[in-house]
Amino acid sequence: MYRKITISSIQIAAIVASTLMVAHRAAAATVPFTETFNVNSANWFDSPAVAPLTWNPAGGPDGSAFASTTFNFANSRANDPAVLFRAQDEFNSSGGAFVGNWVADGVTGFSATVRHDAGVPLNFFVRFASPANFPGANNIFFVPVPSGTWTDLLAPLPNPNLIFEGPLTYNQVFGNIGHVQIGVST
């Protein structure tokens, strides 16, 4: 039961980021930032992190480019989340534009536009983690994504839906982002 999961754009948003603060930080996230996959998969990788996502030059929500992956849900266990899209600092995903201290850089939200062909609604999540992939925090989108429909997902930051891995705080996790992972709960 292989299913194609696609992603059109990723956006990191901020109310206002101080140019002076960003200019003096060695590892600052680009704020605001939107990954549109206009040219290629921007070094975003698939579930096992062994291959870049498939780049598609057209067919996104407005006819634009998008990146996709195919995932086999047949061997997935109930309530076992599957990471489908990986952006990591060590892959230089999106040119590293999302890597940095999201607290100091003024990041106020994360959004993604997704589509799938599973035939049933799926619940997506996003995981944010340090360059070492821990500590991390998960945001579950409580909006089931219907099959065959481009759907915008938005996670304001910070927000009460964040689930932290361990006894951590928002600042401990978002003070050093190096990985962003998007997936579904089966």
Side-chain angles (χ1 to χ4, degrees):
M1 169 187 296
Y2 286 91
R3 296 294 180 202
K4 188 172 189 175
I5 313 292
T6 56
I7 188 165
S8 166
S9 66
I10 302 297
Q11 186 172 47
I12 297 172
I15 296 173
V16 176
S18 168
T19 305
L20 186 59
M21 180 190 310
V22 173
H24 288 93
R25 293 186 39 77
T30 303
V31 184
F33 168 73
T34 301
E35 179 58 70
T36 59
F37 303 107
N38 280 338
V39 178
N40 56 35
S41 66
N43 290 328
W44 281 63
F45 277 66
D46 62 3
S47 177
V50 296
L53 297 177
T54 301
W55 181 71
N56 304 273
D62 58 358
S64 61
F66 65 96
S68 65
T69 190
T70 302
F71 185 80
N72 185 354
F73 287 97
N75 297 322
S76 296
R77 297 179 309 210
N79 301 318
D80 188 17
V83 172
L84 303 172
F85 305 100
R86 295 176 180 276
Q88 298 181 194
D89 58 332
E90 62 266 35
F91 299 156
N92 194 32
S93 302
S94 298
F98 67 92
V99 175
N101 182 334
W102 286 20
V103 176
D105 297 336
V107 175
T108 61
F110 175 89
S111 68
T113 304
V114 298
R115 179 182 176 164
H116 67 86
D117 68 356
V120 296
L122 295 177
N123 290 315
F124 279 74
F125 68 88
V126 61
R127 179 177 182 268
F128 307 98
S130 74
N133 206 31
F134 184 85
N138 296 282
N139 184 94
I140 299 169
F141 297 101
F142 293 104
V143 178
V145 174
S147 184
T149 302
W150 285 105
T151 303
D152 294 327
L153 302 174
L154 174 63
L157 295 173
N159 76 62
N161 293 334
L162 290 170
I163 301 166
F164 293 95
E165 299 165 356
L168 301 169
T169 67
Y170 182 82
N171 288 354
Q172 288 172 309
V173 173
F174 289 87
N176 187 21
I177 295 295
H179 292 188
V180 174
Q181 302 159 338
I182 301 170
V184 297
S185 299
T186 55

